[in-house]
Amino acid sequence: MKIRKILIAAGLACSVLGMGNLAAASEWKEIRIGVEATYPPFEYRNAKGEMEGFDVDVANAICGKLDAKCVWVEQSFDGLIPALQARKFEVIHSSMTATEARSKVIDFTDPLYAIPTQLIAKKGSGTLPTAESLSGKRLGVLQGTTQEAFAKKAWGKGGVQIVSYQDQSQTYADLRAGRLDAALLEKPNAIAGFLVTPEGRDFEFVGEVLSGDPILTNEIAMGLRKSDVKLKEAINKAINELAAEGTIAEIAGKYFQPGEIGLMQAK
């Protein structure tokens, strides 16, 4: 899962008939989308059990451009790529960073946005995002994310005990219970999912936003099978149309403060 800025990337075509040899939009009556649905404000279920969030609204706008219906398929984050390959759905849209390693296995659309990674810990703990400060402590990360990969690479051999979770809410529960000393998170999720809640009032961001490592490029895109070339082209066209129209920025304004994420520019 993930430098803080808000660049923009989303736009999609009302019809794919104008895309050369692309099939008509009617080719995709529905698009099954894999998602780890416990990750506010990107994707989560609201009090009514309805799927909600920034990624959800963007995907629905894309499906609208393609005259298709979005169908949400819930999956643990670390199981999203295997499930995509097993054809349980056509697209991954779950705040997934388009890394070089993942690109060897699946394909990605144009980037949609970029998000920063930062450490949180209890207020007054003095904890910092360094191997020295974290040595001997328990650090929580979401399994299968770039945060997990970075923590293992940067701190795994420095005496830091890295604890991986399939569900981000479990990370927060263990922070509250004192079973974790810190957690490495995408900043918007840390805010919406924990810090602004009553349970998170005793915690805060510590240290600066992490940068300077290729693992933390934090460009988020939608994942597809490498064979689904037409669908990728259709979604990219849609992403860039939505970006040019200002729709992505409008949706972002519903969930984020200005500058909280980086929306990629339309091509």
Side-chain angles (χ1 to χ4, degrees), residues 78 131 134 139-165 184 210 213 215-216:
D78 63 320
L134 292 168
L139 173 71
V141 291
L142 184 63
Q143 190 169 309
T145 62
T146 52
Q147 286 71 36
E148 180 188 45
F150 174 81
K152 288 182 176 180
K153 173 186 174 183
W155 304 325
K157 295 180 180 179
V160 183
Q161 185 175 349
I162 297 166
V163 185
S164 301
Y165 295 85
L184 189 63
L210 294 174
D213 190 294
I215 294 176
L216 297 177

Side-chain angles (χ1 to χ4, degrees), residues 112-125:
L112 285 155
Y113 55 94
I115 45 183
T117 291
Q118 198 162 2
L119 194 72
I120 63 172
K122 201 155 189 177
K123 291 178 178 178
S125 68

Side-chain angles (χ1 to χ4, degrees), residues 97-106 108 146 214-215 217 226:
T97 304
T99 65
E100 183 179 349
R102 288 171 179 154
S103 295
K104 293 177 181 178
V105 181
I106 63 173
F108 284 99
T146 52
I215 294 176
T217 55
K226 289 182 178 291

Side-chain angles (χ1 to χ4, degrees), residues 19 21-23 27-28 227-235:
M19 300 171 62
N21 295 324
L22 241 50
E27 179 176 344
W28 300 289
S227 58
D228 287 339
V229 177
K230 290 182 179 179
L231 180 58
K232 176 185 173 181
E233 291 177 355
I235 290 176

